[in-house]
Each structure stands twice: as C-alpha cells, then as structure tokens.
C-alpha cells in the first residue's frame, strides 16, 4: 500500500531546547536542591541587566508576577485599574484577585496597544494604577502613560527583547514590569515569570510575598505579612539560565521568521500585518498575528487553514466580552469598537525561531488560498 507523501506538520509554536538545557537541569537534579537553591538568585541576576533593570524577582508565572506587582503599587479592594481589553485574560484577572475593578479603555488601531487618550479618559479618582500590555511584543506608549501621574505596572509577558520608542528597553523604565516564560514565549522555563523593578524595597516585598510572606532573614515559620506560594523552582531557573545564553539568537531568529512572513504575505489584498517599528521602538517578536480582510469570518478561516494542515488561532478575543467579564461587570458589545473589530479579525499563524522559509511559504500559500481574491 502506498503512503501519500505528507510534509511534516507545522506546529503553532515550539520552544528551542537543546543540550545546554538538559545539562543545566540535570545538574540541579543531581544536586538534590530543587527549590530555593542557588539558581534562583543566579537567574535573577543574569536576567535583570538583559532588560536594563536594577532588580528582578523570579516567580511561578507571569500571572503571579502581575498579581504581586499590582499589590506592590498599592492596588486594593474597591480600586480601579485602567487596562486594555485586547490582551490575554490574565492582565485583567489580576485586578479582580485584589477585588479591584479592571476598567477597560480602547486600543490604538495600529499598534493594538492601550490608547493613551482613551486611558486618560477612563481615569477617575478611584483609579490607583495603570496596567498597559505590550501586546504581541510591540512596546506600548509608556512615556504617555507616565504623564498621567499614576503608578504603572507593565505587562511585558509578550515583550522580552522589546524597546520603547524613546530607546529604553521594556523592563528598564523602573516601573514593575512582568515577563512570562510559558512554553510559547520568547524564553521558556515551562511555566514561570520574572518581575523587574528599579526599587530595592519593592523587590524585598515581592520576594517575601512570593514565599508566604516570609522576610528574607526570618526564621522559617515566622511570617510578617500575607503571602503566596509563587516561587519558581531551581529546575525551572536552570532551564531559564540555559535559555538566556541563547536568547539573542532566538530573538534574532524570530525577527527573521517575521521578515519572511512580511515578504510572503504582503501581496494579499486587505490582509493587515503587524505594524512596523517606529522611532527607536523595537518589537520583541512573540507571535505572528494578522488581521483578516473584511468579509472573512475568523472561525471559518481557522477551519479552512486547519483543513490544509495549518494550525492557527483567534488571537485575542476581547477580554470584556468573555462570559465572566460580561456577567461580573456587565460588559457588552460596542463598548470598545476598535478592540472588537481587531479581535474579530485577528488570527495567530505558526511562529517559532526554528521555522524555515519553506514552512513560512507553506503557511503563506494556504493563507493566500483561503483569503486571497
Ligand atoms: C502569557 C501572558 C501572561 C501570563 O503569563 P502566564 O505565565 O501564563 O501566567 C499575561 N499577560 C499576557 C499578555 C500574556 O501573553
């Protein structure tokens, strides 16, 4: 029986893992110190300068880091946090953890990031923090948010390697900024995150709250504040340290794949590609999200691509229209028209550092098939 020739399936995302990762994780296994060992501090000290930060605290996830960051800037029960509805749901959820209210404002149609004018209009005397997201690795206009004079927490979970339009690396402005290390991010520890800050006292508080509220020099069963278990294991830190060694290569490879996509997709009428960098801004490439030409149903396109063997995913659905947010906060269609229009037309295509030009071409051909006219 003859088997039809099929080319290897293209995944949506795939981490780069090699001998170095195996070696470093094995060292931890053999050492027997699986958590709160020496690699936690080593990972933090290696990471901070990579994003221009004075301090870094490793945590168990990006979400955990955002939660601790909001607490650290003083968000409390009954407060408002102004943020974007075009994000992964975690950036809104963390406000709800503290019984604060995520107050959404619409996005910029080009960068897809929180629009500073819309954010300013959403600020009231209940607003105690702003939470911009560097969506898809494109730097949000944090300099504009700074003018509003409120504490800022940056969701940089998709933005490792990004640089703001004024040349400051994302993570380097001094506000708490949070990076994430889930398996599809630019750097992975399986699960994990890192909070950076310019403030030594804030780092001390974060380090305590991630470890059940235990002060650094405290006896092990004394705790002077409420804390969580948001620790990152030494196994995960070992993986992160190995990944840091190849971070520049992985970021460059992602940028190369993005350039190949731009070239391969630029002819398709009405298809919107990720915005190019302006001024000194640099995108830290995370995903390759395109907005479909009007007249195409997003879910139909995802199905048609799947039939051609190409995985893709709606990216992102609007947070305020998710059932929990509708029910809890009474949101409905029409509140944030730019976000809703973009969300209805956006899909993520396969994207990872080792993606070859011929794989990019295969994806592009299928996209052309499905949405080309
Ligand atoms: C990945 C991500 C997070 C959360 O990261 P986890 O490590 O999965 O908790 C938060 N915000 C955004 C925008 C993300 O993409």
């Amino acid at each position: 029986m003859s088997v039809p020739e099929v080319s290897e399936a293209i995944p949506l995302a795939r981490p780069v893992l090699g001998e170095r990762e195996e070696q470093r994780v094995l060292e931890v296994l053999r050492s027997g110190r699986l958590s709160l060992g020496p690699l936690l501090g080593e990972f933090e000290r290696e990471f901070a300068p990579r994003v221009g930060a004075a301090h870094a605290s490793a945590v168990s996830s990006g979400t955990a880091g955002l939660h601790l960051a909001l607490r650290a800037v003083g968000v409390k029960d009954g407060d408002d946090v102004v943020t974007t509805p075009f994000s992964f749901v975690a950036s809104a959820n963390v406000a709800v953890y503290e019984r604060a209210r995520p107050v959404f404002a619409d996005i910029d149609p080009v960068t897809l990031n929180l629009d500073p004018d819309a954010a300013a209009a959403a600020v009231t005397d209940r607003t105690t923090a702003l939470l911009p997201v560097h969506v898809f690795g494109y730097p949000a206009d944090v300099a504009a948010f700074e003018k509003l004079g409120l504490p800022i927490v940056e969701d940089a979970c998709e933005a490792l390697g990004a640089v703001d339009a004024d040349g400051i690396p994302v993570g380097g402005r001094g506000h708490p900024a949070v990076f994430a290390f889930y398996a599809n991010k630019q750097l992975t520890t399986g699960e994990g995150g890192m909070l950076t800050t310019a403030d030594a006292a804030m780092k001390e508080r974060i380090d305590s709250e991630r470890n059940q509220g235990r002060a650094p020099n405290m006896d092990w069963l004394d705790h002077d504040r409420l804390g969580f278990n948001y620790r990152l294991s030494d196994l995960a830190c070992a993986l992160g340290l190995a990944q840091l060694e190849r971070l520049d290569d992985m970021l460059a490879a992602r940028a190369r794949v993005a350039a190949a996509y731009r070239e391969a997709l630029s002819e398709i009428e009405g298809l919107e590609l990720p915005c190019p960098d302006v001024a000194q801004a640099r995108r830290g490439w995370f995903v390759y999200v395109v907005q479909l030409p009007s007249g195409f149903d997003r879910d139909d396109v995802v199905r048609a691509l799947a039939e051609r063997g190409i995985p893709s995913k709606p990216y992102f659905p609007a947070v305020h229209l998710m059932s929990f947010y509708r029910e809890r906060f009474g949101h409905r269609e029409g509140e944030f028209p730019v976000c809703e229009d973009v969300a209805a037309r956006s899909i993520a295509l396969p994207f990872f550092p080792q993606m070859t030009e011929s794989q990019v071409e295969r994806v592009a051909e299928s996209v052309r098939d499905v949405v080309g006219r």
Side-chain angles (χ1 to χ4, degrees):
M1 204 171 71
S2 77
V3 179
E5 202 181 303
V6 289
S7 24
E8 204 190 320
I10 302 176
L12 199 54
R14 182 162 63 197
V16 183
L17 300 168
E19 273 174 31
R20 199 57 188 140
E21 282 77 5
E22 292 177 12
Q23 185 188 14
R24 296 223 58 168
V25 170
L26 205 55
E27 280 166 17
V28 177
L29 277 177
R30 289 182 174 152
S31 78
R33 291 193 70 183
L34 304 191
S35 199
L36 293 177
L39 296 200
L40 177 64
E42 188 183 334
F43 186 31
E44 293 171 343
R45 285 188 299 273
E46 293 280 328
F47 186 90
R50 299 299 297 256
V51 299
H55 307 285
S57 295
V59 286
S60 54
S61 70
T63 308
L66 289 168
H67 182 199
L68 295 185
L70 279 189
R71 289 171 60 88
V73 302
V75 170
K76 295 180 305 296
D77 197 344
D79 290 353
D80 282 356
V81 176
V82 171
T83 190
T84 172
F86 191 62
S87 177
F88 181 58
V89 68
S91 53
N93 281 350
V94 291
V96 184
Y97 293 172
E98 289 301 313
R99 300 175 191 278
R101 191 167 63 122
V103 171
F104 299 113
D106 215 342
I107 60 171
D108 180 285
V110 174
T111 66
L112 312 185
N113 282 319
L114 183 60
D115 176 340
D117 293 332
V123 168
T124 67
D125 55 10
R126 281 189 312 277
T127 310
T128 50
L130 306 171
L131 201 164
V133 178
H134 304 285
V135 85
F136 307 151
Y138 196 78
D141 189 357
V142 181
F145 297 120
E146 284 167 350
K147 297 198 180 102
L148 300 179
L150 286 160
I152 294 173
V153 169
E154 296 182 46
D155 181 338
C157 289
E158 306 188 347
L160 184 53
V163 177
D164 287 341
D166 56 9
I168 300 176
V170 168
R173 301 190 88 86
H175 315 292
V178 179
F179 298 85
F181 306 141
Y182 179 68
N184 70 338
K185 312 273 173 168
Q186 289 94 331
L187 177 156
T188 188
T189 59
E191 298 281 359
M194 190 74 83
L195 186 156
T196 60
T197 173
D199 180 348
M202 185 181 290
K203 174 176 166 58
E204 205 172 298
R205 171 171 177 173
I206 299 291
D207 288 356
S208 164
E209 289 195 359
R210 78 174 165 196
N211 191 25
Q212 309 287 10
R214 195 186 310 162
N217 54 2
M218 227 171 223
D219 266 355
W220 92 284
L221 282 180
D222 198 7
H223 303 87
D224 60 357
R225 51 156 63 94
L226 179 67
F228 306 84
N229 179 355
Y230 283 168
R231 296 187 300 265
L232 191 65
S233 76
D234 269 42
L235 286 166
C237 291
L239 203 47
L241 281 160
Q243 291 268 289
L244 270 183
E245 291 176 21
R246 56 164 101 240
L247 179 60
D248 290 338
D249 289 343
M250 292 193 295
L251 291 174
R254 281 183 187 266
R256 267 199 307 279
V257 174
Y261 262 129
R262 174 165 291 279
E263 172 104 18
L265 296 173
S266 59
E267 304 287 284
I268 302 176
E269 204 187 309
L271 186 75
E272 286 179 60
L273 306 183
C275 71
D277 296 341
V278 298
Q280 296 177 74
R282 292 290 169 272
R283 186 189 295 267
W285 282 98
F286 165 55
V287 282
Y288 203 86
V289 172
V290 297
Q291 292 165 57
L292 302 171
S294 55
F296 286 94
D297 180 80
R298 182 189 67 188
D299 299 332
D300 289 345
V301 171
V302 168
R303 264 190 299 274
L305 288 172
E307 280 162 17
R308 288 163 176 77
I310 306 297
S312 65
K313 195 151 84 171
Y315 228 78
F316 287 116
V319 174
H320 66 287
L321 297 181
M322 293 181 176
S323 12
F324 172 76
Y325 282 89
R326 286 174 188 264
E327 282 159 29
R328 175 78 163 256
F329 299 101
H331 290 297
R332 66 208 179 303
E333 274 87 3
E335 281 180 273
F336 309 107
V338 181
C339 167
E340 290 168 31
D341 172 58
V342 170
R345 294 189 296 120
S346 294
I347 62 170
L349 300 176
F351 188 71
F352 49 92
Q354 289 164 326
M355 201 171 173
T356 63
E357 282 194 26
S358 79
Q359 287 178 316
V360 169
E361 194 36 56
R362 260 175 66 203
V363 176
E365 230 172 81
S366 300
V367 174
R368 240 176 269 134
D369 253 17
V370 175
V371 304
R373 301 187 218 237

